[in-house]
Amino acid sequence: MRNVYNLSIRAWLLSLLCLLVGGRAVANEPQHPKPTNDYITVNDVTLVPGSADTYQVEISLVGSQIYTAYQMDILFPPGVDVVVDEYGPYVVLWDGDRCIYPKGRDGKLVHSLSSSYGVVSNKRLRISCRDDMNRVLTATSGKLLYFKVKVSPYLKPGDVVLKVTNLDFITITKENSQKYHCKDQTLTLHATAESTATLSVSGSSHYGTCVLPFAVSPLPHGVKAYSAKGLDDTGQLVVLSEVTQLAAYTPYILYSASGYTGSLSGTVDANKYGEVVSDGLLRGAIAPQKRKDGYVLQDLGEGAKFYAMDGVEFLIPEGKCWLEMPAAQASAPQYGIQIGTTTGITAPTASASAHGKIYTLDGKEVKTMQPGGIYVVNGKKVLKIK
């Protein structure tokens, strides 16, 4: 088991209080933080977006004096997250070469570490390290800890910046305690331009949405893709226009008669990156988005439609899309979809025979409709969903 304790905010504050009052000996007077030019550094790490690997990020102290304890916050950008397991965030005190922690008679580190991720605020790693006996570190500089991270397919290539705030080092004696506050700083990792992402369409609802950080051509077998530029003349249907390839950072609606799941790879152009991208009425999430307005594509038993969020908060995952109507457009509680510019597409709710004769688009009469096919029934085009 790692020497890690994932504390609640209240427990973390109590731990910090113990640090500042010196554990067994309470300071006679409060000590104001003193500024210091000490700082931390990071090892050279190259991240591959979409990789199943995890990456070890090592943090070292470049200091000017011997400290007893420390604390810091590290804010992560979209696309990078700390690995969290049954013990909490995967953050470990360094016990290898250049270790600067004292050890007990059993050869184990006497300092302990507490951490939380995403508790204080989204994507914020909070760390504190102390020793109950207030024993000091063994050197002014050296490796402090390491944590493991995972990366998404949507990580922006190039420099990956971690922002470090609330970085404090503390000295504690029997008579007093003193906190030394470091300047805010950044730690830089690197991300390659090659990415691998999963494309998925439900086999039950047949429709889905996607936005990828790289272009895909041709489309995977059995998958159709559509853009959504506007509404039909009635203002009740979203018009879908079929495309033959997926452009990078462009949102699409997908269709597959039998469902699809597969991994796709490509080269990412960082200049096109945006946390939210748009095309026509569609918006794509490159970083997860919390939304209360707009429309989400769902199949609630009447075929795929866009349903209003209506003030309810939805989390749009990275790689997925939602629909926004122009401010001047009257909003409806839901919108159906239409393939092409002239004929509405709906999902049949009764058997084909109940509607009369069925014809293919080239005029041939058939007895049954196959999923994914477009047919003419009673003079209207219909899309067979299931």
Side-chain angles (χ1 to χ4, degrees):
M1 178 177 176
R2 304 197 307 270
N3 183 24
V4 174
Y5 302 90
N6 187 30
L7 302 182
S8 66
I9 295 178
R10 180 178 180 184
W12 187 89
L13 292 174
L14 290 174
S15 174
L16 178 57
L17 179 61
C18 290
L19 288 178
L20 295 179
V21 300
R24 294 175 298 172
V26 180
N28 294 325
E29 296 180 358
Q31 298 297 305
H32 297 292
K34 293 182 178 180
T36 177
N37 290 323
D38 294 352
Y39 60 95
I40 58 175
T41 61
V42 67
N43 60 321
D44 186 16
V45 180
T46 299
L47 310 171
V48 180
S51 170
D53 296 334
T54 60
Y55 300 87
Q56 182 165 305
V57 180
E58 301 168 5
I59 303 298
S60 298
L61 165 65
V62 179
S64 59
Q65 61 178 305
I66 299 291
Y67 293 111
T68 306
Y70 61 86
Q71 62 189 22
M72 70 181 77
D73 285 353
I74 304 178
L75 184 63
F76 290 76
V80 184
D81 283 287
V82 177
V83 173
V84 178
D85 60 19
E86 64 269 28
Y87 301 120
Y90 202 111
V91 187
V92 184
L93 294 181
W94 185 263
D95 193 16
D97 183 42
R98 294 181 62 203
C99 173
I100 59 174
Y101 296 102
K103 296 184 178 181
R105 294 180 180 177
D106 59 0
K108 296 181 179 180
L109 303 183
V110 298
H111 281 67
S112 62
L113 181 147
S114 62
S115 63
S116 67
Y117 182 64
V119 175
V120 179
S121 63
N122 186 40
K123 299 184 75 68
R124 184 179 296 273
L125 175 64
R126 172 156 290 183
I127 299 170
S128 67
C129 175
R130 60 186 292 269
D131 169 41
D132 290 339
M133 302 297 291
N134 297 329
R135 284 166 285 196
V136 298
L137 303 181
T138 60
T140 60
S141 301
K143 289 190 178 181
L144 295 178
L145 56 88
Y146 67 90
F147 51 83
K148 291 190 175 182
V149 300
K150 57 185 178 180
V151 296
S152 86
Y154 298 87
L155 177 62
K156 183 180 180 180
D159 288 346
V160 178
V161 176
L162 313 183
K163 297 180 180 179
V164 181
T165 62
N166 302 319
L167 177 57
D168 300 310
F169 290 92
I170 301 162
T171 60
I172 301 174
T173 66
K174 292 182 179 180
E175 294 78 23
N176 218 328
S177 64
Q178 179 62 57
K179 181 166 71 173
Y180 295 86
H181 181 64
C182 305
K183 298 176 182 178
D184 290 352
Q185 64 172 97
T186 58
L187 305 173
T188 303
L189 313 179
H190 306 280
T192 69
E194 298 302 315
S195 177
T196 299
T198 298
L199 192 69
S200 180
V201 183
S202 169
S204 57
S205 64
H206 307 287
Y207 278 95
T209 64
C210 85
V211 55
L212 294 172
F214 48 80
V216 173
S217 179
L219 293 173
H221 179 71
V223 176
K224 294 183 178 181
Y226 304 90
S227 61
K229 302 293 188 180
L231 301 179
D232 73 336
D233 293 339
T234 69
Q236 298 177 346
L237 299 173
V238 176
V239 178
L240 305 186
S241 300
E242 187 170 2
V243 299
T244 58
Q245 60 186 7
L246 304 179
Y249 294 114
T250 305
Y252 295 100
I253 297 170
L254 302 177
Y255 175 82
S256 176
S258 57
Y260 174 85
T261 299
S263 294
L264 305 174
S265 299
T267 301
V268 180
D269 183 355
N271 294 323
K272 296 180 180 179
Y273 178 88
E275 292 190 15
V276 174
V277 293
S278 62
D279 182 61
L281 299 179
L282 290 176
R283 305 292 180 265
I286 300 301
Q289 301 292 316
K290 292 183 178 180
R291 307 290 304 185
K292 292 184 178 180
D293 54 347
Y295 295 78
V296 288
L297 184 64
Q298 300 180 81
D299 185 346
L300 302 181
E302 298 180 346
K305 294 183 179 182
F306 284 99
Y307 290 88
M309 300 180 193
D310 200 23
V312 177
E313 185 173 88
F314 281 75
L315 176 62
I316 310 298
E318 59 183 14
K320 299 300 181 180
C321 310
W322 74 98
L323 181 142
E324 285 188 359
M325 298 301 300
Q329 176 71 46
S331 296
Q334 64 187 46
Y335 290 94
I337 57 177
Q338 168 182 301
I339 298 178
T341 58
T342 59
T343 306
I345 301 297
T346 59
T349 56
S351 64
S353 59
H355 292 282
K357 293 183 178 181
I358 307 168
Y359 297 90
T360 61
L361 292 181
D362 59 3
K364 296 179 181 179
E365 183 178 354
V366 295
K367 297 297 183 182
T368 59
M369 294 185 286
Q370 299 299 316
I374 300 175
Y375 300 86
V376 178
V377 180
N378 291 336
K380 296 182 179 180
K381 290 183 181 179
V382 297
L383 171 65
K384 175 64 175 175
I385 300 294
K386 298 180 180 179

